[in-house]
Amino acid sequence: MGVDIVIVEDDPMVMELHRQYISQVKGFHLVGQAANAADGYDMIVSVKPRLVILDIYMPGKSGIDLLRRVRAEGINIDVILVTAAHYSETIQQGMQCGVVDYIIKPFTLQRFKKALKSYQQYIDRLNKTQQLCQKDIDCLKGATPGESIPNSLNELKENIPKGLDKATLKAILMIINKQPDYFTTSEIAKLVGISRVTVRRYLNYLTDNGWLKGILSYGPVGRPLHKYTKDDLFCL
């Protein structure tokens, strides 16, 4: 049984990214889309999805306004917020309304897939039993005994996933540390002396773990350019 999804997103380019990414993950079906909170509410009521991919900043009412409305009316949906809003107050508002995940733009395919697959595991575990013990609840929340989020760059370097190299990560981190402002994959690749494809994997890894922030820079023509900057906690 698949998971029906509705997207509420005002940016057509981001909407298309959502569509493409959802199509690459088995078990999820896009059943509706809307470009503002009012149309999003009508779509949710009409098609009754299991999951909503929701932006915050939209014309008229915000995504948080929509989220509060569906919660107040007892509409049974799960929500993943995907937004450029990364202020602690906004994140807290989303969490208070019971979102299952929060993804910062610009996001990677890897992070988006991780959100959907984690949600899929959550649904599978929830459907297996009617009565849950503490261990079951911990698993629903994604907690695994002995697993923790790296709280320093040194810890991050010591626990990198398979396919990444510690020495390469260290070299990239040293170059990033010297950057005064925003930088691109190409700029880091040139300074380190390795390919852009390789550098992008490491930048995505650092972004997914919260040590870099990313933005989409829109030019007059062509595709948007991904730029990165150090998070406030970035410190070697």
Side-chain angles (χ1 to χ4, degrees), residues 1-8 22 27-32 40 43-54 67 70-71 74-81 97-101 115-116 118-130 132 140:
M1 184 177 178
V3 175
D4 291 339
I5 296 181
V6 162
I7 304 171
V8 185
I22 290 169
F28 291 88
H29 312 292
L30 181 61
V31 296
M43 181 65 67
I44 289 168
V45 171
S46 174
V47 304
K48 298 178 175 62
R50 185 70 182 262
L51 180 64
V52 175
I53 307 296
L54 178 62
L67 184 53
V70 298
R71 292 290 183 249
I75 299 173
N76 187 22
I77 58 169
D78 289 318
V79 175
I80 295 177
L81 285 177
C97 291
V99 300
V100 297
D101 206 342
L116 293 187
S118 295
Y119 180 74
Q120 204 165 39
Q121 291 172 354
Y122 163 78
I123 292 300
D124 290 344
R125 288 167 178 162
L126 199 61
N127 291 338
K128 281 182 179 179
T129 181
Q130 294 297 316
L132 304 176
L140 285 177

Side-chain angles (χ1 to χ4, degrees), residues 22-156:
I22 290 169
S23 69
Q24 296 181 45
V25 184
K26 288 184 63 176
F28 291 88
H29 312 292
L30 181 61
V31 296
Q33 57 190 64
N36 57 66
D39 291 344
Y41 174 81
D42 292 339
M43 181 65 67
I44 289 168
V45 171
S46 174
V47 304
K48 298 178 175 62
R50 185 70 182 262
L51 180 64
V52 175
I53 307 296
L54 178 62
D55 187 23
I56 289 183
Y57 296 137
M58 296 181 290
K61 297 289 186 179
S62 72
I64 295 293
D65 293 328
L66 172 57
L67 184 53
R68 285 173 173 162
R69 182 178 181 182
V70 298
R71 292 290 183 249
E73 296 182 12
I75 299 173
N76 187 22
I77 58 169
D78 289 318
V79 175
I80 295 177
L81 285 177
V82 183
T83 176
H86 56 265
Y87 297 106
S88 58
E89 181 181 358
T90 307
I91 294 173
Q92 183 182 28
Q93 289 172 346
M95 296 302 183
Q96 288 171 340
C97 291
V99 300
V100 297
D101 206 342
Y102 197 111
I103 305 175
I104 301 294
K105 297 177 183 176
F107 50 89
T108 64
L109 171 58
Q110 179 185 9
R111 181 62 179 86
F112 194 88
K113 280 185 173 181
K114 179 181 178 182
L116 293 187
K117 289 180 178 179
S118 295
Y119 180 74
Q120 204 165 39
Q121 291 172 354
Y122 163 78
I123 292 300
D124 290 344
R125 288 167 178 162
L126 199 61
N127 291 338
K128 281 182 179 179
T129 181
Q130 294 297 316
Q131 295 184 334
L132 304 176
C133 65
Q134 185 65 60
K135 182 179 178 181
D136 294 328
I137 295 170
D138 289 342
C139 287
L140 285 177
K141 294 171 63 180
T144 302
E147 182 181 36
S148 62
I149 297 172
N151 54 26
S152 72
L153 282 172
N154 285 331
E155 185 178 342
L156 190 78

Side-chain angles (χ1 to χ4, degrees), residues 11 13-14 17 105-107 214-218 224-227:
D11 188 324
M13 295 183 68
V14 177
L17 280 179
K105 297 177 183 176
F107 50 89
I215 64 166
L216 286 175
S217 177
Y218 294 93
L225 179 66
H226 285 261
K227 291 185 177 181

